[in-house]
Amino acid sequence: LAKTTQPISMDSYEGQEVNITCSHNNIATNDYITWYQQFPSQGPRFIIQGYKTKVTNEVASLFIPADRKSSTLSLPRVSLSDTAVYYCLVGPTGANNLFFGTGTRLTVIP
Amino acid sequence: DTGVSQDPRHKITKRGQNVTFRCDPISEHNRLYWYRQTLGQGPEFLTYFQNEAQLEKSRLLSDRFSAERPKGSFSTLEIQRTEQGDSAMYLCASSLELVRDRESGELFFGEGSRLTVL
């Protein structure tokens, strides 16, 4: 499974758009990019998944350039409740041994 | 169904004791996973079941660890002769087997069982 690199931490004010970038230079042809969110003392929760270009759901958008060597999770108008750790994962759908890495700790400031 | 449930949520034990964690996955999910998470780190894969068959084990799963899923429903993770290094959050997740292209393979995690070994 491809390794990923993401910032260790980010701070943002409430109401701003937050973009978290993930690098995955060794992404394979059949790999998808998946983001999970984790609050303290809870298990991770699926946010969004994409293969190329742009994917949007009710929570976030995922931007993937043509070379697929990076991706950006975009959270519109964050609130205090978006304070969490965000993990970028790369691998085939249904992969059994997902690699989470250390994630990006997002802190939303009032 | 209320999601993946794990029991107990917290366990404090003395070094050398055995502990067992239970996971009840979402009822229609045939895949079940165990992960371990230590403070400041992301979850690390331990093992995976499809129905009752344990199909993959991480090198992290030492001989003191054993996982079962006897009837393809709930699963147990037992740690024998616990060590202080076993202190962690043990996360269980479940998912559906992919039968169609472009399904996400989304994992549904429980809230975890936190183990503290004194």
Side-chain angles (χ1 to χ4, degrees), chain A residues 32 34 36 38 41-46 49 51 87 89 92-103 105, chain B residues 9 31 33 35 37 40-43 45 48 56 89 91 98 102-112 114:
Chain A
Y32 282 72
T34 310
Y36 280 79
Q38 186 176 27
S41 298
Q42 293 187 23
R45 185 179 70 171
F46 175 93
Q49 184 183 77
Y51 184 82
Y87 296 98
L89 287 73
T93 56
N96 305 325
N97 53 355
L98 293 175
F99 175 75
F100 277 79
T102 54
R105 181 173 300 277
Chain B
R9 292 292 314 280
R31 292 186 164 189
Y33 311 78
Y35 280 78
Q37 185 172 26
Q41 302 298 312
F45 171 79
Y48 150 71
E56 188 168 351
M89 175 79 84
L91 292 162
L98 298 184
R102 301 179 64 79
E103 288 181 339
S104 71
E106 174 183 351
L107 297 186
F108 293 80
F109 282 86
E111 294 190 322
R114 181 169 297 282

Side-chain angles (χ1 to χ4, degrees), chain A residues 14 28 32-33 47 57 79 81 91-92 108:
Chain A
E14 265 191 301
Y32 282 72
I33 300 148
I47 301 175
N57 62 22
S79 64
S81 63
V108 180

Side-chain angles (χ1 to χ4, degrees), chain A residues 22-45:
Chain A
C22 178
S23 297
H24 27 81
N25 291 319
N26 297 322
I27 190 168
T29 303
N30 61 339
D31 285 345
Y32 282 72
I33 300 148
T34 310
W35 287 79
Y36 280 79
Q37 173 192 56
Q38 186 176 27
F39 298 114
S41 298
Q42 293 187 23
R45 185 179 70 171

Side-chain angles (χ1 to χ4, degrees), chain A residues 5-25:
Chain A
T5 303
Q6 37 180 140
I8 294 173
S9 64
M10 295 179 69
D11 294 338
S12 175
Y13 287 103
E14 265 191 301
Q16 291 191 328
E17 178 183 77
V18 171
N19 296 308
I20 306 174
T21 297
C22 178
S23 297
H24 27 81
N25 291 319

